[in-house]
Amino acid sequence: GNIKQLIELKNRREYDPRAIFSKFVTSVFSVATEFTRMRPPRRLGQDYTGIIYGSRHKMKAKVLIALDSSGSMEDSVINEGLYFMQSALKHADVYFCWWDTNCYDITHEKIMRPKYEVKGGGGTNPQCIIDKLKKEKLRFDGIVVISDCVFDWYEPPKHEKVCIVSTSYMQGPKWCKWFFKLEDLLKRIKK
């Protein structure tokens, strides 16, 4: 019994959830650039600030963090993961919403708060997020869904970039390109 477990542990693939999330973050940002006098040119250094224009991203990315508020979610775990994701997306315009079977108000928060109040508490249907965005004609460069992944979710339209963060042992949908478990992320951060 112990030998079998040791062999399985040695052959299990290790992955870094931070790498997955950073790939999602870079996929969301704009590749369009503009010239500015406020940044020095990258190749020439600080001496040429204001003389030769540097470049910067033309616009910030708009990212929606959608938090599952169904009855099976734990508030403390959500708050820890949310604080990390908001700090990782510090160069983006971050919006928040709570969802269960309905998607609640989408709010724009500029200041990081260590704790958030949960709204809702019903079933789990992540499609309501996409439906609300279509209904209100909102456009986001990326959507981060924090959930326990106890749902069936068909693939949204191709223009939606979705990162799913699981708070339980459940796996996300097979179509999701960016998926990791919050527990693995918090272990890596504490190391």
Side-chain angles (χ1 to χ4, degrees), residues 45-90:
Q46 297 287 338
D47 299 336
Y48 291 94
T49 303
I51 301 168
I52 299 175
Y53 290 14
S55 63
R56 66 177 177 193
H57 286 285
K58 211 171 207 174
M59 59 183 182
K60 283 187 169 185
K62 277 179 66 179
V63 179
L64 174 67
I65 297 180
L67 301 147
D68 185 356
S69 61
S70 62
S72 58
M73 295 291 289
E74 292 180 33
D75 297 347
S76 61
V77 176
I78 290 173
N79 283 318
E80 281 183 57
L82 183 60
Y83 194 73
F84 165 77
M85 278 165 223
Q86 193 174 9
S87 64
L89 292 166
K90 62 185 171 193

Side-chain angles (χ1 to χ4, degrees), residues 68-70 98-104 119-126 128:
D68 185 356
S69 61
S70 62
W98 294 99
W99 62 275
D100 45 20
T101 52
N102 296 319
C103 187
Y104 299 99
K119 294 179 183 173
T124 310
N125 179 16
C128 67

Side-chain angles (χ1 to χ4, degrees), residues 11 23 29-31 35 38 42 48 53 59-60 76 88 100 110 115 122 125 143-144 169 172 184:
N11 292 318
K23 285 180 183 176
F29 285 116
S30 169
V31 292
F35 292 110
M38 302 307 289
R42 201 175 92 215
Y48 291 94
Y53 290 14
M59 59 183 182
K60 283 187 169 185
S76 61
D100 45 20
K110 292 185 179 182
K115 193 157 178 123
N125 179 16
I143 302 169
V144 179
Y169 63 91
D184 296 337

Side-chain angles (χ1 to χ4, degrees), residues 144-156:
V144 179
V145 177
I146 302 175
S147 175
D148 55 3
C149 293
V150 185
F151 55 71
D152 290 328
W153 190 11
Y154 300 106
E155 187 171 1

Side-chain angles (χ1 to χ4, degrees), residues 113-130:
R113 289 188 287 159
K115 193 157 178 123
Y116 294 87
E117 290 183 30
V118 180
K119 294 179 183 173
T124 310
N125 179 16
Q127 185 59 37
C128 67
I129 302 164
I130 305 296

